[in-house]
């Protein structure tokens, strides 16, 4: 759990990071907010609101987490709980969509009406931002970019389907495929470091980039974003990622230019910065 | 070119349909509007505005058609031209997105905030409607559902790519694939009529439905629509389409229910009904 006291301009006044407990996550969350509030008060700050960005399927209007597998939450009325505990204006948002809001406000997509943020970490997600706002979908489940089917009948995914994008292109996916093809058990970062010297690393990474390009081509044809922002650990791969990815997306688009593809300006702090923006929104 | 005098409730007062001329399309369009206006006047109607729904890539705000291959238009300032000629409030919209507006107002997606309209005719397109409005994209090119890559390295498309959705599932695509696999030159409608008696028809149609299901699964994971509305000639295939399609989309979604899949309530009139709605919007 990453928390911070942030100023309205996005500046971080203080940070607190704690492991998510196995048991009482809500209690730990309330305690984290309490400590952040205390930190703000002792530094003479006026706390106007609290924001939280959570994974899972979310009813953002009512602030209910319908399902978050990693937290083992089902139908948790997070907004009402936090309002009761914190006695502050509270906003509850989706972690990836909140990160998209932060990229639009402070980051790599500043001022852009049409962009997608694709965080590529252990798994893959997306915040889809259009002129009308961030797409949440009818049930709060929009943006499942990691699970779009890319290879028909492809390798199995933990979600129960086959050929999902994140099976091939994600921190977990690249490492697994490298290992299963006979490679050493290495992190994706270390596999990328071997490119050009290790043919297996070249092959697994090349396939990952092709699959990501396929997915981003689909996103571009459907949503026509001005900018594609890549975040998450895998976005640090630098030229090994951006060069071949840009060429493959261009090659996949017949009659139109490709959008700019850039790295997140906020990195791992985007979700937290987005939670701060939600808090100031709630306080208004 | 399909024109109509419509009342604010969507009722059609009079219709005029003319072939799109090879030459002066703009002149023919202005003449069609003039005749519609005259028709309205003689029936005692007060004309408050004019709306046009056009194919192509469109800057809807400025009413400029950037590119429409079928009309051979590039950077045509349609809004300004029609305003000058018609001396009425004018609105210019994209044909598929205008059809989506009509489905939302009068048709199968009435009152729905999150839905997609997928017209499947000679080619395939989509209107993507979210709580924030219809997605137009950064360059007006959103919704190119017919050209999302579905089969990596698949059959060539007229767009210059391979494996696009409409190569397999469209009026033109099904007929071409049936013929190229040794079948008679039949329309897609007649191929569908042979299902259950003609193994080649079964195979080509089955593959088309699988490809459409793949595309709609991707759309669902990205946009999370409440309803998928199918339009165009192919949507008249009835149970041969909807039964297997619903099963395949459900099978492609691991942890979530599929959206409802329904046939357009307006059919081929949706674009014209949408143009009427745009006209009343311009008059406000």
């Amino acid at each position: 759990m990453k928390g911070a006291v942030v100023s309205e301009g996005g500046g971080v006044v203080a940070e607190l990071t704690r492991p998510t407990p196995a048991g009482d996550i809500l209690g730990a969350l309330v305690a984290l907010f309490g400590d952040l509030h205390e930190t703000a008060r002792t530094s003479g700050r006026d706390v106007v609101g609290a924001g939280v960005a959570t994974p899972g399927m979310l009813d953002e209007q009512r602030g209910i987490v319908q399902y978050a597998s990693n937290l083992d939450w089902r139908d948790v009325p997070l907004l009402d709980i936090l309002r009761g505990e914190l006695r502050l204006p509270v906003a509850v948002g989706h972690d990836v969509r909140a990160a998209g809001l932060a990229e639009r406000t402070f980051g790599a997509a500043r001022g852009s009406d049409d962009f997608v943020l694709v965080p590529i970490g252990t798994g893959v997600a997306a915040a889809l931002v259009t002129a009308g706002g961030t797409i949440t979908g009818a049930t709060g489940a929009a943006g499942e970019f990691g699970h779009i089917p890319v290879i028909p009948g492809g390798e199995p995914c933990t979600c129960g389907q086959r050929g999902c994008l994140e099976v091939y292109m994600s921190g977990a996916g690249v490492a697994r495929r490298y290992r299963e093809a006979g490679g050493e058990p290495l992190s994706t970062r270390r596999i990328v470091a071997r490119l050009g010297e290790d043919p297996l690393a070249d092959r697994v990474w090349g396939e990952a980039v092709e699959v990501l390009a396929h997915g981003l081509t689909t996103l571009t044809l459907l949503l026509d974003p001005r900018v594609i922002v890549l975040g998450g650990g895998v976005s640090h791969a630098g030229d090994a990622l951006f060069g071949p990815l840009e060429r493959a997306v261009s090659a996949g688009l017949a009659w139109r230019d490709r959008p700019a593809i850039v790295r997140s300006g906020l990195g791992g702090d985007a979700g937290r910065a987005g939670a701060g923006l939600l808090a100031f929104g709630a306080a208004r």
Side-chain angles (χ1 to χ4, degrees), chain A:
Chain A
M1 301 192 304
K2 298 195 286 185
V5 179
V6 295
S7 66
E8 192 153 14
V12 173
V13 177
E15 299 184 50
L16 279 179
T17 300
R18 290 178 186 164
T20 307
D24 182 14
I25 295 174
L26 276 171
L29 183 62
V30 170
L32 179 63
F33 269 117
D35 292 346
L36 287 166
H37 203 157
E38 188 55 35
T39 302
R41 227 174 310 176
T42 54
S43 70
R45 304 271 171 169
D46 188 27
V47 173
V48 298
V52 57
T54 170
M57 275 176 64
L58 193 64
D59 179 334
E60 283 178 332
Q61 228 113 70
R62 296 191 296 152
I64 297 172
V65 182
Q66 292 150 332
Y67 179 54
S69 62
N70 291 339
L71 305 176
D72 202 19
W73 281 357
R74 271 183 199 279
D75 296 320
V76 173
L78 191 57
L79 182 63
D80 284 348
I81 292 171
L82 291 177
R83 272 185 183 150
E85 295 282 347
L86 306 183
R87 297 167 188 281
L88 279 172
V90 175
V92 168
H94 182 264
D95 56 351
V96 179
R97 293 196 284 267
L101 178 65
E103 292 288 352
R104 183 184 206 165
T105 310
F106 306 123
R110 202 173 310 182
S112 183
D113 258 358
D114 289 276
F115 74 96
V116 298
L117 167 65
V118 178
I120 310 173
T122 306
V124 175
L128 313 174
V129 182
T130 73
T134 304
I135 301 171
T136 55
T139 69
E144 288 287 358
F145 183 61
H147 295 284
I148 67 168
V150 176
I151 309 286
E155 298 176 15
C157 181
T158 52
C159 81
Q161 295 295 336
R162 288 179 168 275
C164 297
L165 184 140
E166 71 176 43
V167 168
Y168 302 89
M169 172 45 108
S170 63
V174 170
R176 179 191 57 75
R177 297 190 75 236
Y178 183 83
R179 203 175 57 242
E180 287 180 3
E184 299 167 54
L186 293 178
S187 68
T188 294
R189 193 175 57 78
R190 295 190 59 194
I191 293 165
V192 169
R194 293 186 170 200
L195 293 174
E197 295 157 17
D198 174 349
L200 181 57
D202 287 345
R203 198 194 86 204
V204 169
W205 180 252
E207 287 167 357
V209 170
E210 277 301 320
V211 161
L212 179 60
H214 180 133
L216 293 180
T217 300
T218 298
L219 262 186
T220 298
L221 288 162
L222 291 175
L223 301 182
D224 182 22
R226 192 173 306 283
V227 185
I228 293 169
V229 181
L230 301 183
V234 176
S235 72
H236 293 272
D239 290 345
L241 175 62
F242 287 86
L245 183 64
E246 287 170 350
R247 284 192 291 278
V249 173
S250 288
L253 294 166
W255 71 84
R256 55 160 296 155
D257 296 335
R258 71 163 166 78
I261 304 177
V262 302
R263 188 155 77 79
S264 161
L266 301 168
D269 293 331
R272 193 165 60 182
L277 288 167
L278 293 175
F280 282 104
R284 245 170 239 128

